[in-house]
Amino acid sequence: AQSVTQLDSQVPVFEEAPVELRCNYSSSVSVYLFWYVQYPNQGLQLLLKYLSGSTLVKGINGFEAEFNKSQTSFHLRKPSVHISDTAEYFCAVSRAGGGNKLTFGTGTQLKVEL
Amino acid sequence: NAGVMQNPRHLVRRRGQEARLRCSPMKGHSHVYWYRQLPEEGLKFMVYLQKENIIDESGMPKERFSAEFPKEGPSILRIQQVVRGDSAAYFCASSDLERGGYEQYFGPGTRLTVT
């Protein structure tokens, strides 16, 4: 079984500042990793994914994440945030291969302030 | 290309009634997943279906809940005799595994309120 830990439930940050949202996972098998964003009363939008290959993955809206196998981490970063980035961010893991359920972290609420 | 569609977006049921939630996957996707988001909690997997087959139902409550994905038409998540604890947002996702699409795309969700 897989598990995901998002240590920060809330992260306040000023506009145009950099941000890092932390995600650690646990698994005894190879995994795929994902970050999703959820705006209030909406569904989840895929930000980026790691399946294999380069450990630095770039996603939409200027976000990127780095897969670190030795530290079992997949932290999300953005060099300069905007007010519109205020949302809840979920890290998710699945067993590698097709057709496997996603296991989600409890989410990190990113609040961007002026 | 239309995304994953779910209806209704909001559903109110009295205790003891039945709730039917529908999900139409993205065009060409034949793999559907259902997740539940309880208040103040993360998303939890419920069931994974492929056309006409349940592949993994390890997250489904043993009683009152059922799911199907017929050859034609949307996937249905059915909750019989709803209770207040069933109040949650239910999300459907789909993927295109036949073309190597391992990521899941989510619908807008159905918010179920049980009164």
Side-chain angles (χ1 to χ4, degrees), chain A residues 32 34 36 38-46 49 51 90 94 97-107, chain B residues 9 31 33 35 37 41-45 48 55-56 58 91 95 97 100 102-109 111:
Chain A
Y32 294 158
F34 307 86
Y36 285 87
Q38 185 179 32
Y39 298 99
N41 297 316
Q42 293 188 27
L44 281 78
Q45 182 181 11
L46 180 66
K49 63 187 178 187
L51 303 181
F90 291 96
S94 74
N100 295 305
K101 64 185 178 185
L102 292 172
T103 299
F104 285 88
T106 50
Chain B
R9 294 289 307 274
H31 298 257
Y33 313 77
Y35 295 84
Q37 186 175 35
E41 292 188 23
L43 290 98
K44 305 289 186 187
F45 168 78
Y48 162 40
I55 308 299
D56 180 358
S58 58
F91 292 96
S95 63
L97 292 178
Y102 297 113
E103 62 273 23
Q104 296 178 23
Y105 294 93
F106 282 77
R111 280 153 183 83

Side-chain angles (χ1 to χ4, degrees), chain A residues 25-37:
Chain A
Y25 70 92
S26 174
S27 177
S28 57
V29 298
S30 296
V31 296
Y32 294 158
L33 293 152
F34 307 86
W35 274 98
Y36 285 87
V37 61

